[in-house]
């Protein structure tokens, strides 16, 4: 591993399609068993006992275990020793709770750097969003309650089109904000796994070379989703009438299922691109390989993370929303049955609430994504051994440098 400040990946050795000079992860112990995913080099007994294998690992002697019930010291009754934990996670396959705890622990351990990133990005994002809403966006279209069914259908399409047009600037701003927070927080989390300090300048220096590729990946995934949904919904919209609406709903649901499957399959592409310094195409294939066989687990953890971040956002947004309504005299309009017209007080107060919510939820979302990637590599490629060597844990051998050049 590379000790220089430019080092980004805690273990940048992909299983296939590596660039020349990058070492591969260790091969399985028993070549006769193709299903084995374990490295031939197991951790020492003092750190983590191997789940299989007949060889006796080398390293420091096992630490004495409590003598419960008169069992011999150092016997098997004491259970396996805990895994090494140089940073925010133990170096072994992670549970759901450990992944979430690792994301929160990163926020606590590096709060200056993390909040420096998220608050800055969130403030700039909200200022741009407020200015666009105030000065650039047209009034949203509405459906006339007295219109005929055909007119109401036409007006409904106008409302959908108006909503898409009005949300496009916000989506673009959010996309850019996600790009920068994902790039920088990925580097912060990769350092926190090894228990190493990291500054905002360090994170920027490590993330900067991959920003263009990350931008391409960030634009590609929504484009794929939009294209699939368009193919699913467009035939029914062209057909029109009741049959067209039914066809749009059915095909749109099928397209949504395909989009969901693809987005989870490619959900680890971003950390693979940043930490392995891969191209867009290789990072997508890398994510597909890591997610293979664990789709439902990653889907469940991702859904749980979205639910938790949504709850946190609502806990923060609701009080700020009520204060904003009261400050802009919107509550009286609501009670009178009128549509309130919001001014600067409403936009500013809700913007402050959005900044606070983003400062908390961005690190959690990014942390879960990176730790899911690390967890899958630990399960598939024994990345924990590489991480232990990178963290200079005794008994795991010398640190291996990945700073090589082709032909060296």
């Amino acid at each position: 591993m590379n000790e220089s400040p430019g080092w980004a990946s805690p273990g940048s050795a992909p299983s296939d399609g590596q660039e020349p000079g990058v070492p591969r992860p260790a091969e399985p112990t028993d070549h006769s068993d193709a299903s084995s995913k374990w490295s031939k080099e197991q951790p020492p007994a003092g750190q983590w006992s191997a789940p299989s294998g007949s060889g006796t690992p080398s390293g420091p002697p096992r630490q004495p275990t409590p003598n419960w019930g008169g069992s011999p010291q150092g016997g098997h009754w004491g259970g396996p020793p805990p895994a090494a934990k140089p940073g925010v996670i133990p170096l072994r396959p992670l549970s759901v709770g450990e992944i979430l705890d690792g994301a929160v622990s990163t926020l606590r351990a590096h709060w200056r750097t993390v909040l420096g990133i998220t608050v800055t990005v969130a403030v700039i994002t909200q200022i741009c969003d407020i200015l666009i809403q105030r000065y650039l966006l047209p009034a949203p279209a509405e459906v006339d309650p007295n219109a005929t069914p055909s007119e109401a259908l036409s007006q409904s399409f106008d409302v959908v089109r108006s909503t898409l047009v009005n949300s496009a600037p916000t989506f673009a701003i959010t996309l850019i904000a996600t790009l920068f927070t994902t790039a920088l927080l990925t580097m912060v989390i990769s350092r926190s796994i090894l228990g190493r300090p990291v500054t905002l300048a360090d994170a920027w220096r490590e993330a900067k070379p991959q920003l263009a590729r990350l931008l391409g990946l960030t634009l590609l995934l929504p484009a794929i989703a939009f294209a699939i949904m368009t193919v699913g919904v467009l035939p029914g919209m062209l057909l029109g009438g009741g049959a067209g609406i039914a066809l749009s709903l059915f095909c749109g649901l099928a397209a949504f299922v395909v989009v969901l499957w693809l987005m989870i399959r490619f959900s680890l592409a971003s950390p693979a691109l940043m930490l392995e310094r891969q191209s867009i195409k290789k990072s997508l294939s890398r994510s597909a390989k890591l997610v293979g066989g664990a789709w439902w687990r990653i889907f469940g953890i991702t859904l749980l993370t979205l639910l938790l971040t949504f709850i946190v956002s609502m806990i923060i947004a609701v009080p700020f929303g009520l204060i904003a309504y009261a400050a802009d005299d919107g509550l009286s309009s609501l009670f009178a049955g009128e549509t309130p017209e919001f001014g600067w007080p409403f936009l500013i107060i809700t913007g402050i609430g959005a900044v606070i919510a983003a400062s908390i939820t961005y690190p959690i979302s990014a942390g879960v994504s990176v730790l899911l990637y690390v967890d899958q590599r630990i399960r598939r490629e024994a990345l924990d051994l590489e991480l232990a060597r990178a963290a200079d844990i005794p008994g795991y051998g010398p640190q291996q440098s990945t700073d090589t050049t082709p032909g060296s």
Side-chain angles (χ1 to χ4, degrees):
M1 306 298 295
N2 188 0
E3 291 285 355
S4 64
W7 175 79
S9 170
S12 55
S15 62
D16 60 347
Q18 298 97 324
E19 298 177 0
V22 179
R24 291 180 176 271
E27 297 295 331
T29 302
D30 185 3
H31 294 283
S32 63
D33 184 8
S35 64
S36 174
K37 304 283 187 177
W38 291 97
S39 167
K40 66 181 181 181
E41 183 181 5
Q42 293 299 327
Q47 300 293 343
W48 185 18
S49 59
S52 62
S54 59
T56 302
S58 61
R62 181 188 296 272
Q63 298 297 324
T65 55
N67 189 7
W68 299 106
S71 64
Q73 291 290 340
H76 295 287
W77 293 3
K85 188 178 179 181
V88 295
I89 59 169
L91 301 184
R92 56 170 171 74
L94 304 174
S95 65
V96 178
E98 288 170 336
I99 291 175
L100 294 173
D101 179 70
V104 176
S105 297
T106 301
L107 175 59
R108 291 199 307 262
H110 304 282
W111 64 271
R112 289 185 180 87
T113 303
V114 171
L115 291 182
I117 295 169
T118 56
V119 171
T120 301
V121 173
V123 167
I124 295 174
T125 300
Q126 288 303 314
I127 290 175
C128 295
D129 191 30
I130 289 173
L131 293 177
I132 289 174
Q133 290 186 44
R134 187 66 177 173
Y135 294 111
L136 298 181
L137 295 183
E142 297 181 357
V143 177
D144 185 1
N146 299 321
T148 62
S150 60
E151 292 176 345
L153 181 61
S154 177
Q155 292 174 2
S156 298
F157 283 118
D158 291 338
V159 170
V160 172
R161 184 169 57 251
S162 174
T163 302
L164 291 176
V165 170
N166 289 351
S167 61
T170 301
F171 175 76
I173 294 172
T174 304
L175 202 64
I176 296 173
T178 303
L179 170 72
F180 281 99
T181 54
T182 300
L184 296 176
L185 291 177
T186 297
M187 299 308 169
V188 174
I189 296 163
S190 69
R191 290 290 191 93
S192 67
I193 291 173
L194 303 179
R196 294 179 178 174
V198 59
T199 63
L200 181 57
D202 294 334
W204 172 252
R205 183 168 53 251
E206 295 176 5
K208 187 178 179 180
Q210 291 294 100
L211 282 179
R213 291 178 177 178
L214 183 61
L215 175 61
L217 178 64
T218 305
L219 293 175
L220 178 62
L221 292 179
I224 292 174
F226 179 77
I228 294 174
M229 292 300 300
T230 301
V231 171
V233 175
L234 188 59
M237 295 179 63
L238 295 176
L239 181 62
I245 295 176
L247 180 62
S248 294
L249 291 176
F250 177 77
C251 294
L253 180 61
F256 174 76
V257 172
V258 174
V259 168
L260 178 63
W261 180 79
L262 284 176
M263 292 304 103
I264 297 299
R265 186 172 176 82
F266 296 145
S267 61
L268 304 183
S270 175
L273 183 144
M274 295 301 298
L275 297 179
E276 298 179 16
R277 303 192 182 280
Q278 297 277 24
S279 65
I280 297 175
K281 181 179 178 180
K282 287 184 178 180
S283 65
L284 291 173
S285 63
R286 198 66 181 110
S287 175
K289 182 172 183 177
L290 291 173
V291 173
W295 191 95
W296 283 106
R297 178 175 181 269
I298 294 177
F299 168 72
I301 296 175
T302 303
L303 184 62
L304 176 62
T305 304
L306 291 175
L307 179 61
L308 291 177
T309 54
F310 174 77
I311 292 174
V312 171
S313 298
M314 288 299 100
I315 290 174
I316 297 172
V318 169
F320 276 90
L322 294 176
I323 295 172
Y325 268 94
D328 211 6
D329 199 23
L331 293 177
S332 59
S333 300
L334 286 178
F335 292 143
E338 302 174 356
T339 302
E341 295 183 0
F342 301 117
W344 282 108
F346 177 85
L347 295 175
I348 293 173
I349 295 174
T350 54
I352 293 173
V355 168
I356 297 174
S359 301
I360 298 174
T361 57
Y362 277 170
I364 295 175
S365 299
V368 169
S369 177
V370 175
L371 293 179
L372 269 175
Y373 160 83
V374 172
D375 177 55
Q376 286 302 111
R377 287 199 62 185
I378 288 176
R379 294 171 183 268
R380 301 290 178 85
E381 303 166 358
L383 180 64
D384 50 315
L385 303 179
E386 251 187 280
L387 295 176
R389 285 192 290 266
D392 297 326
I393 297 177
Y396 285 85
Q399 188 180 21
Q400 296 178 355
S401 173
T402 59
D403 189 14
T404 57
T405 56
S408 61

